[in-house]
PDB file of all heavy atoms in Angstrom:
ATOM      1  N   ALA K 443     -86.989  56.233 -40.671  1.00 95.00           N
ATOM      2  CA  ALA K 443     -86.787  56.578 -42.076  1.00 95.00           C
ATOM      3  C   ALA K 443     -85.963  55.516 -42.801  1.00 95.00           C
ATOM      4  O   ALA K 443     -86.271  55.151 -43.949  1.00 95.00           O
ATOM      5  CB  ALA K 443     -86.110  57.945 -42.192  1.00 95.00           C
ATOM      6  N   LEU K 444     -84.923  55.016 -42.160  1.00 95.00           N
ATOM      7  CA  LEU K 444     -84.084  53.998 -42.802  1.00 95.00           C
ATOM      8  C   LEU K 444     -84.851  52.689 -42.996  1.00 95.00           C
ATOM      9  O   LEU K 444     -84.627  51.966 -43.965  1.00 95.00           O
ATOM     10  CB  LEU K 444     -82.823  53.757 -41.973  1.00 95.00           C
ATOM     11  CG  LEU K 444     -81.798  54.899 -41.970  1.00 95.00           C
ATOM     12  CD1 LEU K 444     -80.663  54.596 -41.005  1.00 95.00           C
ATOM     13  CD2 LEU K 444     -81.263  55.148 -43.380  1.00 95.00           C
ATOM     14  N   ALA K 445     -85.754  52.411 -42.076  1.00 94.00           N
ATOM     15  CA  ALA K 445     -86.559  51.196 -42.198  1.00 94.00           C
ATOM     16  C   ALA K 445     -87.525  51.289 -43.385  1.00 94.00           C
ATOM     17  O   ALA K 445     -87.910  50.271 -43.969  1.00 94.00           O
ATOM     18  CB  ALA K 445     -87.336  50.945 -40.912  1.00 94.00           C
ATOM     19  N   LYS K 446     -87.906  52.517 -43.764  1.00 93.00           N
ATOM     20  CA  LYS K 446     -88.861  52.725 -44.859  1.00 93.00           C
ATOM     21  C   LYS K 446     -88.187  53.236 -46.134  1.00 93.00           C
ATOM     22  O   LYS K 446     -88.861  53.519 -47.129  1.00 93.00           O
ATOM     23  CB  LYS K 446     -89.929  53.736 -44.430  1.00 93.00           C
ATOM     24  CG  LYS K 446     -90.764  53.314 -43.242  1.00 93.00           C
ATOM     25  CD  LYS K 446     -91.750  54.411 -42.868  1.00 93.00           C
ATOM     26  CE  LYS K 446     -92.619  54.014 -41.690  1.00 93.00           C
ATOM     27  NZ  LYS K 446     -93.563  55.093 -41.318  1.00 93.00           N
ATOM     28  N   LEU K 447     -86.864  53.357 -46.125  1.00 93.00           N
ATOM     29  CA  LEU K 447     -86.149  54.013 -47.225  1.00 93.00           C
ATOM     30  C   LEU K 447     -86.289  53.256 -48.544  1.00 93.00           C
ATOM     31  O   LEU K 447     -86.035  52.058 -48.621  1.00 93.00           O
ATOM     32  CB  LEU K 447     -84.668  54.143 -46.866  1.00 93.00           C
ATOM     33  CG  LEU K 447     -83.785  54.851 -47.889  1.00 93.00           C
ATOM     34  CD1 LEU K 447     -84.240  56.298 -48.077  1.00 93.00           C
ATOM     35  CD2 LEU K 447     -82.314  54.817 -47.459  1.00 93.00           C
ATOM     36  N   THR K 448     -86.685  53.997 -49.576  1.00 93.00           N
ATOM     37  CA  THR K 448     -86.755  53.470 -50.940  1.00 93.00           C
ATOM     38  C   THR K 448     -86.224  54.543 -51.885  1.00 93.00           C
ATOM     39  O   THR K 448     -86.015  55.703 -51.488  1.00 93.00           O
ATOM     40  CB  THR K 448     -88.189  53.123 -51.347  1.00 93.00           C
ATOM     41  OG1 THR K 448     -88.975  54.340 -51.378  1.00 93.00           O
ATOM     42  CG2 THR K 448     -88.823  52.138 -50.385  1.00 93.00           C
ATOM     43  N   THR K 449     -86.028  54.184 -53.138  1.00 92.00           N
ATOM     44  CA  THR K 449     -85.564  55.174 -54.110  1.00 92.00           C
ATOM     45  C   THR K 449     -86.616  56.247 -54.366  1.00 92.00           C
ATOM     46  O   THR K 449     -86.285  57.354 -54.799  1.00 92.00           O
ATOM     47  CB  THR K 449     -85.223  54.480 -55.440  1.00 92.00           C
ATOM     48  OG1 THR K 449     -86.355  53.699 -55.869  1.00 92.00           O
ATOM     49  CG2 THR K 449     -84.012  53.575 -55.287  1.00 92.00           C
ATOM     50  N   SER K 450     -87.881  55.949 -54.077  1.00 93.00           N
ATOM     51  CA  SER K 450     -88.945  56.932 -54.320  1.00 93.00           C
ATOM     52  C   SER K 450     -89.088  57.957 -53.198  1.00 93.00           C
ATOM     53  O   SER K 450     -89.602  59.058 -53.423  1.00 93.00           O
ATOM     54  CB  SER K 450     -90.279  56.216 -54.541  1.00 93.00           C
ATOM     55  OG  SER K 450     -90.634  55.459 -53.395  1.00 93.00           O
ATOM     56  N   ASN K 451     -88.670  57.609 -51.973  1.00 94.00           N
ATOM     57  CA  ASN K 451     -88.818  58.575 -50.869  1.00 94.00           C
ATOM     58  C   ASN K 451     -87.484  59.082 -50.339  1.00 94.00           C
ATOM     59  O   ASN K 451     -87.451  59.754 -49.305  1.00 94.00           O
ATOM     60  CB  ASN K 451     -89.646  57.974 -49.732  1.00 94.00           C
ATOM     61  CG  ASN K 451     -88.922  56.837 -49.008  1.00 94.00           C
ATOM     62  OD1 ASN K 451     -87.737  56.589 -49.202  1.00 94.00           O
ATOM     63  ND2 ASN K 451     -89.651  56.124 -48.155  1.00 94.00           N
ATOM     64  N   ILE K 452     -86.400  58.796 -51.044  1.00 95.00           N
ATOM     65  CA  ILE K 452     -85.080  59.176 -50.522  1.00 95.00           C
ATOM     66  C   ILE K 452     -84.923  60.693 -50.437  1.00 95.00           C
ATOM     67  O   ILE K 452     -84.222  61.203 -49.552  1.00 95.00           O
ATOM     68  CB  ILE K 452     -83.948  58.560 -51.378  1.00 95.00           C
ATOM     69  CG1 ILE K 452     -82.602  58.767 -50.661  1.00 95.00           C
ATOM     70  CG2 ILE K 452     -83.935  59.141 -52.784  1.00 95.00           C
ATOM     71  CD1 ILE K 452     -81.472  57.993 -51.275  1.00 95.00           C
ATOM     72  N   HIS K 453     -85.592  61.435 -51.311  1.00 95.00           N
ATOM     73  CA  HIS K 453     -85.510  62.901 -51.239  1.00 95.00           C
ATOM     74  C   HIS K 453     -86.112  63.409 -49.932  1.00 95.00           C
ATOM     75  O   HIS K 453     -85.532  64.269 -49.253  1.00 95.00           O
ATOM     76  CB  HIS K 453     -86.230  63.531 -52.434  1.00 95.00           C
ATOM     77  CG  HIS K 453     -86.204  65.027 -52.423  1.00 95.00           C
ATOM     78  ND1 HIS K 453     -85.041  65.764 -52.562  1.00 95.00           N
ATOM     79  CD2 HIS K 453     -87.212  65.942 -52.261  1.00 95.00           C
ATOM     80  CE1 HIS K 453     -85.330  67.048 -52.499  1.00 95.00           C
ATOM     81  NE2 HIS K 453     -86.632  67.184 -52.320  1.00 95.00           N
ATOM     82  N   ALA K 454     -87.255  62.857 -49.538  1.00 95.00           N
ATOM     83  CA  ALA K 454     -87.901  63.263 -48.283  1.00 95.00           C
ATOM     84  C   ALA K 454     -87.053  62.850 -47.089  1.00 95.00           C
ATOM     85  O   ALA K 454     -86.932  63.602 -46.108  1.00 95.00           O
ATOM     86  CB  ALA K 454     -89.293  62.639 -48.185  1.00 95.00           C
ATOM     87  N   VAL K 455     -86.446  61.668 -47.155  1.00 96.00           N
ATOM     88  CA  VAL K 455     -85.592  61.210 -46.065  1.00 96.00           C
ATOM     89  C   VAL K 455     -84.367  62.119 -45.929  1.00 96.00           C
ATOM     90  O   VAL K 455     -83.943  62.461 -44.812  1.00 96.00           O
ATOM     91  CB  VAL K 455     -85.152  59.750 -46.285  1.00 96.00           C
ATOM     92  CG1 VAL K 455     -84.116  59.330 -45.242  1.00 96.00           C
ATOM     93  CG2 VAL K 455     -86.357  58.817 -46.224  1.00 96.00           C
ATOM     94  N   THR K 456     -83.809  62.534 -47.054  1.00 96.00           N
ATOM     95  CA  THR K 456     -82.652  63.443 -47.024  1.00 96.00           C
ATOM     96  C   THR K 456     -83.040  64.797 -46.440  1.00 96.00           C
ATOM     97  O   THR K 456     -82.283  65.393 -45.659  1.00 96.00           O
ATOM     98  CB  THR K 456     -82.081  63.627 -48.448  1.00 96.00           C
ATOM     99  OG1 THR K 456     -81.744  62.347 -48.992  1.00 96.00           O
ATOM    100  CG2 THR K 456     -80.831  64.499 -48.415  1.00 96.00           C
ATOM    101  N   GLN K 457     -84.212  65.294 -46.784  1.00 96.00           N
ATOM    102  CA  GLN K 457     -84.705  66.544 -46.192  1.00 96.00           C
ATOM    103  C   GLN K 457     -84.873  66.398 -44.676  1.00 96.00           C
ATOM    104  O   GLN K 457     -84.521  67.305 -43.912  1.00 96.00           O
ATOM    105  CB  GLN K 457     -86.028  66.946 -46.831  1.00 96.00           C
ATOM    106  CG  GLN K 457     -85.920  67.481 -48.242  1.00 96.00           C
ATOM    107  CD  GLN K 457     -87.276  67.898 -48.777  1.00 96.00           C
ATOM    108  OE1 GLN K 457     -88.196  67.081 -48.937  1.00 96.00           O
ATOM    109  NE2 GLN K 457     -87.440  69.179 -49.045  1.00 96.00           N
ATOM    110  N   LEU K 458     -85.413  65.264 -44.269  1.00 96.00           N
ATOM    111  CA  LEU K 458     -85.594  64.998 -42.836  1.00 96.00           C
ATOM    112  C   LEU K 458     -84.244  64.952 -42.134  1.00 96.00           C
ATOM    113  O   LEU K 458     -84.084  65.500 -41.024  1.00 96.00           O
ATOM    114  CB  LEU K 458     -86.336  63.670 -42.651  1.00 96.00           C
ATOM    115  CG  LEU K 458     -86.690  63.260 -41.226  1.00 96.00           C
ATOM    116  CD1 LEU K 458     -87.668  64.246 -40.602  1.00 96.00           C
ATOM    117  CD2 LEU K 458     -87.276  61.845 -41.204  1.00 96.00           C
ATOM    118  N   ALA K 459     -83.257  64.327 -42.774  1.00 96.00           N
ATOM    119  CA  ALA K 459     -81.920  64.219 -42.183  1.00 96.00           C
ATOM    120  C   ALA K 459     -81.250  65.582 -42.059  1.00 96.00           C
ATOM    121  O   ALA K 459     -80.428  65.795 -41.160  1.00 96.00           O
ATOM    122  CB  ALA K 459     -81.054  63.290 -43.032  1.00 96.00           C
TER     123      ALA K 459
END
Side-chain angles (χ1 to χ4, degrees):
L444 290 174
K446 299 178 179 179
L447 182 62
T448 65
T449 53
S450 61
N451 68 10
I452 190 169
H453 179 66
V455 173
T456 304
Q457 287 182 297
L458 183 64

